[in-house]
Amino acid sequence: MSPLADWDLLDLFLARKDQAAFSELVRRHGPRVLGACRRVLRDADRAQDAFQATFLLLARKGASLRRTGRMDSWLYNVAVHVSLDAKKSAMRRRMHEREAISERTRPDADPEAWERLRPILDEELVHLPDRYRQPLISCYLDGKTVEQAAEDLGCPVGTLATRLFRGRELLRTRLVQRGAAVTGAALGVVLAAHAVPAVKLSSALVAWTSQAAAEGMAVGIVSAQVGALVNGGMKAMMIAKAKAVSAIAAVGIVVGGGGGALAVHALKGQEPAKPTVVETARGGSKDELSAKTLEGVLRAVKPQADEWLWLKVPWITDLWTARQKASEEDKPIFYFGTGGAGFNDPLGVC
Amino acid sequence: MFRRTGWNELGEKGFALISEKFIPYAPFWGGHGYSNVDAWWGKTYGDHRFMEGAFEGTPWFMHTSEGTMIKGTAWGQKGLVAGLEDVLKAYRALPENKRRAVVGDRGTADPEWKAASTFPPGGLALNVWTRPLKRDGKGGFLPQIEELIGHGAPPEAEREFGANDGFAIHGYSSPQRDTLWLTEAEWKSLVPANPEKGQSIDVPEPVRLRIFLLYLYNNSGMYGGFWAKSALRTGELKVTVEDVTPQAIRMRVDGSALLRMRAEDGHLDRGLQPKLPDKLDMGYDCRLYGRIHYDREKKAITRFDMAALGDFRGIWCRYYKAKPVPVAFAFELDARALPPERRPMMPFGMFATMINTSFTDVRDYWDPRK
């Protein structure tokens, strides 16, 4: 008999308070959730609190979640945000206690790429589109092979490899914005080197979390810290939901409205709010385009004499073709790389 | 050898040297489309520590087909061309097995990538250029460069874009490029079978929407500006026959488009643009005008020049321009004998597919109504 799907297990739990069904969900997705909590918090105890809070939020919000998205993606997003909340709370406490400790790693102060990336990696991963985030998490953080991840995500191996490549580039761009300068390929190497095999969950943690979910966070079952994290998460979701009702596409509030990709899906079907500011001037420059001015406009837009000179070079854009030609003609390859964006691309083909 | 550079730095002599003595390779950042190619790329370029920090510029690498990086002296005092000559000497000193690799198979193909990178047989490719313009005081226009860097942008933008030995200024101020693809059936539908002077044809809706939604956007950077499907408020485009002879049909193409939306509806990624204000409205109100010539003997379109001109308001590079700026687009026939991979359409390039949530499936390109 094939195993029940995630959402079926959740429905079973919600309908019958079936603790075994919830335990199965914790076992299935717990390693990824705990791994994310640990990377963000770097503290085993606080990571465990965030882990529990994540699954308790699943139990509490489960009935209102849309069944069209992936549960593991929702859990990952919630785990990262709950952990970030926990991290902020801890920082506030420390400041209050006048402990001058900065949680944030300073990229320049630490030569190790992994140490630069780890504190911000999950924060940035949650902002990637699901189709690129999932392969990165599966391959680099869960330690799965490309083939395993492709099977898990239900797409061809080639597609998975390409999404992995693209996702890595987008993640790199985000990390660079945060001050962690790293190239796409180097990022892949660093992530691969630090890919962790699935985090081991203790049976006690699974049982404890499932019991807390089944008993509705009864007093004495969960700690005050976990309770605070759950309440904080609930509040964030309510705020996001309110914003969604106001038709503000709060894509950035990843925890809200069903969380992450689910929130985006929920909002996509809504009619976009009408802009309030844009009223392009009546007439304006459009009135200056005519048969008489056409040639002049085209001339002004197209490259001037000193622009795009590098287009004269017969660039090959296919790496395998370039390698084969280089081997046949016994010539070195001149790689004209890009920063990854259209403006920054030799051929403008980003 | 590795170096970060401004694009034109090599000059004519350098570009000639690269064309003749090297295999010039510029990656298409939509990925490589095959599992083994992506893996080789990651291994070869990822193992080199000097790629660290390469983000801020356009890097050059010189390596063999086997993947060995070649040392050179382009950093030194002899100049870039002399540096490339040194690379060639170093290359020739390498053993043959390092220079001439047996290149294996590409691995598993990615169907999604293939669909987005395969030029339609018999199709028509149009270069699309765009940039802001300024009035020349004589009723015409000139390229606008100051608008991108100085006007209305915060001081850090000026510092950022004005740095890097002219690289950034050149990058941002040059016209941005794209390619519009039309299938054979689509371009043929623009030419009336029995043409008469004054006859008018509406440009088919999929083509019209493709032009409006996927090309009339500000691509002066990767940081936003894609239109959501809902952004198009009004838009029309038609072809009118102006002259018919046994040899040719001369047509005029004209129309207009009004695009307006909140930036978030086009999936603005605020994580990449932390300095943007909370409310961002975007708009482009333009006219389109152009000329199409059809050669009846060759059965081919021999001229397709079209411009779009109008006021743009919205995201520019990483900043928001509240004051409307005249922005123009130039569509022209790409008559160069280039392989299809040199003429990819950007709306389904790497960053576009990641950032533009309105159009994530390549089928949307061919019919944006879906």
Side-chain angles (χ1 to χ4, degrees):
Chain A
M1 202 171 85
S2 60
L4 284 174
D6 290 345
W7 296 115
D8 293 337
L9 283 169
L10 182 64
D11 288 339
L12 207 56
F13 167 76
L14 293 171
R16 301 182 197 164
K17 289 289 173 215
D18 187 333
Q19 203 173 316
F22 201 82
S23 296
E24 175 58 22
L25 287 174
V26 177
R27 270 192 292 273
R28 239 178 233 185
H29 303 300
R32 176 182 288 186
V33 168
L34 190 56
C37 296
R38 283 181 181 173
R39 280 190 301 277
V40 173
L41 288 162
R42 305 172 78 175
D43 178 295
D45 290 338
R46 283 192 286 139
Q48 202 158 300
D49 288 348
F51 170 89
Q52 277 201 301
T54 301
F55 279 101
L56 292 177
L57 281 166
L58 175 67
R60 278 199 167 187
K61 296 293 296 179
S64 62
L65 297 182
R66 292 194 175 206
R67 267 55 175 163
T68 49
R70 290 181 63 95
M71 186 188 286
D72 55 358
S73 181
W74 186 91
L75 282 166
Y76 175 79
N77 287 331
V78 173
V80 171
H81 281 80
V82 166
S83 301
L84 287 170
D85 279 351
K87 190 172 170 179
K88 282 179 198 160
S89 301
M91 287 175 77
R92 278 196 295 271
R93 278 200 303 275
R94 287 177 189 181
M95 284 173 73
H96 185 67
E97 292 161 11
R98 296 175 184 278
E99 289 179 15
I101 296 172
S102 170
E103 281 277 319
R104 191 160 182 160
T105 300
R106 293 176 188 281
D108 295 343
D110 192 337
E112 297 298 326
W114 176 244
E115 286 306 309
R116 288 203 308 268
L117 298 177
R118 185 166 63 175
I120 54 175
L121 181 63
D122 292 278
E123 286 179 50
E124 295 307 322
L125 262 173
V126 294
H127 290 294
L128 296 190
D130 210 38
R131 66 205 311 231
Y132 299 111
R133 183 176 62 240
Q134 286 288 351
L136 285 170
I137 293 174
S138 292
C139 293
Y140 289 133
L141 300 182
D142 292 348
K144 290 180 181 171
T145 63
V146 171
E147 289 76 13
Q148 287 169 334
E151 189 181 346
D152 187 33
L153 298 173
C155 66
V157 172
T159 301
L160 195 285
T162 300
R163 288 182 182 174
L164 201 57
F165 177 87
R166 292 177 171 185
R168 203 176 60 198
E169 286 306 307
L170 189 59
L171 176 62
R172 176 182 68 86
T173 306
R174 301 192 68 99
L175 292 170
V176 168
Q177 298 286 325
R178 296 283 302 269
V182 63
T183 62
L187 175 62
V189 171
V190 171
L191 290 177
H194 291 275
V196 285
V199 176
K200 290 266 187 335
L201 289 182
S202 71
S203 52
L205 182 59
V206 175
W208 188 21
T209 305
S210 307
Q211 189 188 352
E215 299 189 12
M217 279 178 58
V219 176
I221 299 289
V222 298
S223 68
Q225 285 84 356
V226 174
L229 288 172
V230 173
N231 290 334
M234 292 292 287
K235 196 174 168 187
M237 289 178 178
M238 282 172 66
I239 292 168
K241 191 175 178 184
K243 287 189 174 181
V245 169
S246 305
I248 297 171
V251 177
I253 302 172
V254 181
V255 178
L262 300 179
V264 176
H265 291 150
L267 295 174
K268 264 189 169 177
Q270 296 176 8
E271 192 64 25
K274 287 188 176 176
T276 53
V277 177
V278 172
E279 283 299 339
T280 45
R282 184 165 293 175
S285 60
K286 68 179 178 182
D287 291 345
E288 296 173 62
L289 179 62
S290 65
K292 193 178 165 191
T293 61
L294 174 66
E295 296 303 328
V297 170
L298 291 173
R299 253 199 320 274
V301 179
K302 290 198 278 191
Q304 310 298 295
D306 58 345
E307 292 176 330
W308 288 94
L309 296 180
W310 55 96
L311 286 182
K312 293 175 183 172
V313 176
W315 301 104
I316 293 169
T317 53
D318 175 64
L319 180 55
W320 243 229
T321 303
R323 287 186 67 208
Q324 281 161 347
K325 205 166 156 59
S327 182
E328 283 163 18
E329 297 180 19
D330 197 6
K331 290 179 179 174
I333 292 171
F334 183 101
Y335 171 122
F336 198 143
T338 81
F343 68 88
N344 194 17
D345 188 302
L347 302 174
V349 295
C350 171
Chain B
M1 187 179 96
F2 165 72
R3 182 180 164 80
R4 280 163 43 179
T5 178
W7 293 310
N8 281 338
E9 206 174 342
L10 271 168
E12 296 288 346
K13 199 172 173 187
F15 288 128
L17 191 64
I18 292 168
S19 303
E20 290 163 20
K21 304 288 184 185
F22 290 82
I23 301 299
Y25 164 59
F28 169 38
W29 282 81
H32 302 103
Y34 292 88
S35 54
N36 289 349
V37 185
D38 274 342
W40 192 90
W41 186 93
K43 180 175 174 294
T44 304
Y45 298 103
D47 284 348
H48 292 274
R49 293 180 61 195
F50 47 74
M51 269 197 84
E52 289 285 339
F55 176 77
E56 291 297 336
T58 298
W60 303 343
F61 293 98
M62 286 79 188
H63 62 84
T64 69
S65 58
E66 179 262 351
T68 300
M69 294 285 167
I70 307 165
K71 290 180 180 171
T73 58
W75 292 107
Q77 302 299 313
K78 293 198 292 181
L80 294 173
V81 172
L84 290 179
E85 296 283 7
D86 284 348
V87 167
L88 290 170
K89 275 185 211 161
Y91 174 81
R92 285 192 283 271
L94 289 170
E96 182 157 355
N97 66 335
K98 291 281 182 193
R99 299 195 320 266
R100 312 187 74 174
V102 176
V103 181
D105 70 88
R106 294 166 188 265
T108 317
D110 170 21
E112 193 179 281
W113 180 89
K114 205 166 180 178
S117 61
T118 305
F119 185 68
L124 196 69
L126 298 175
N127 292 328
V128 186
W129 302 94
T130 182
R131 74 190 324 162
L133 299 181
K134 61 182 177 186
R135 290 172 178 83
D136 64 4
K138 302 172 193 167
F141 288 93
L142 293 171
Q144 170 67 276
I145 295 171
E146 300 84 351
E147 191 68 38
L148 280 170
I149 298 165
H151 180 82
E156 58 265 32
E158 198 162 353
R159 281 201 298 276
E160 181 180 354
F161 301 141
N164 277 347
D165 60 76
F167 157 79
I169 288 178
H170 195 91
Y172 280 101
S173 62
S174 299
Q176 304 308 310
R177 305 180 65 223
D178 205 336
T179 308
L180 169 68
W181 286 359
L182 299 174
T183 65
E184 186 173 11
E186 284 172 344
W187 70 256
K188 283 185 172 172
S189 74
L190 303 178
V191 183
N194 300 301
E196 289 176 20
K197 192 173 177 181
Q199 183 182 359
S200 217
I201 299 173
D202 284 330
V203 173
E205 197 177 9
V207 177
R208 190 168 53 85
L209 295 181
R210 191 180 311 150
I211 291 171
F212 293 163
L213 290 169
L214 292 171
Y215 287 91
L216 299 185
Y217 73 97
N218 165 26
N219 65 350
S220 63
M222 57 169 283
Y223 297 106
F226 292 108
W227 300 113
K229 287 185 183 180
S230 58
L232 185 64
R233 302 307 166 95
T234 61
E236 59 173 359
L237 195 60
K238 62 183 179 182
V239 174
T240 304
V241 177
E242 290 196 321
D243 188 32
V244 184
T245 68
Q247 292 78 34
I249 308 171
R250 292 173 188 274
M251 293 170 284
R252 177 182 77 242
V253 55
D254 61 4
S256 63
L258 174 62
L259 294 131
R260 290 165 55 176
M261 69 173 191
R262 283 191 186 279
E264 285 83 354
D265 295 335
H267 189 50
L268 169 69
D269 190 338
R270 284 182 180 275
L272 291 172
Q273 303 163 95
K275 295 182 180 70
L276 294 175
D278 289 342
K279 287 186 179 176
L280 294 177
D281 292 321
M282 299 177 61
Y284 187 55
D285 183 8
C286 73
R287 184 180 182 197
L288 298 98
Y289 188 88
R291 304 218 170 269
I292 299 174
H293 291 178
Y294 178 74
D295 187 318
R296 302 180 87 174
E297 288 170 358
K298 291 180 185 167
K299 297 188 188 322
I301 286 179
T302 52
R303 180 185 177 188
F304 196 132
D305 287 329
M306 182 174 75
L309 176 64
D311 291 334
F312 171 84
R313 174 183 291 165
I315 297 167
W316 203 288
C317 299
R318 275 176 248 177
Y319 303 94
Y320 178 65
K321 301 199 83 63
K323 179 189 165 193
V325 181
V327 167
F329 296 80
F331 295 75
E332 64 168 4
L333 200 61
D334 187 339
R336 296 168 299 165
L338 289 175
E341 74 270 12
R342 289 287 306 277
R343 299 179 293 182
M345 35 76 165
M346 186 170 162
F348 285 87
M350 176 178 155
F351 279 98
T353 53
M354 287 194 284
I355 291 171
N356 189 347
T357 52
S358 291
F359 300 95
T360 55
D361 188 320
V362 71
R363 284 172 295 188
D364 287 343
Y365 182 83
W366 298 112
D367 193 350
R369 292 171 300 185
K370 287 177 182 168

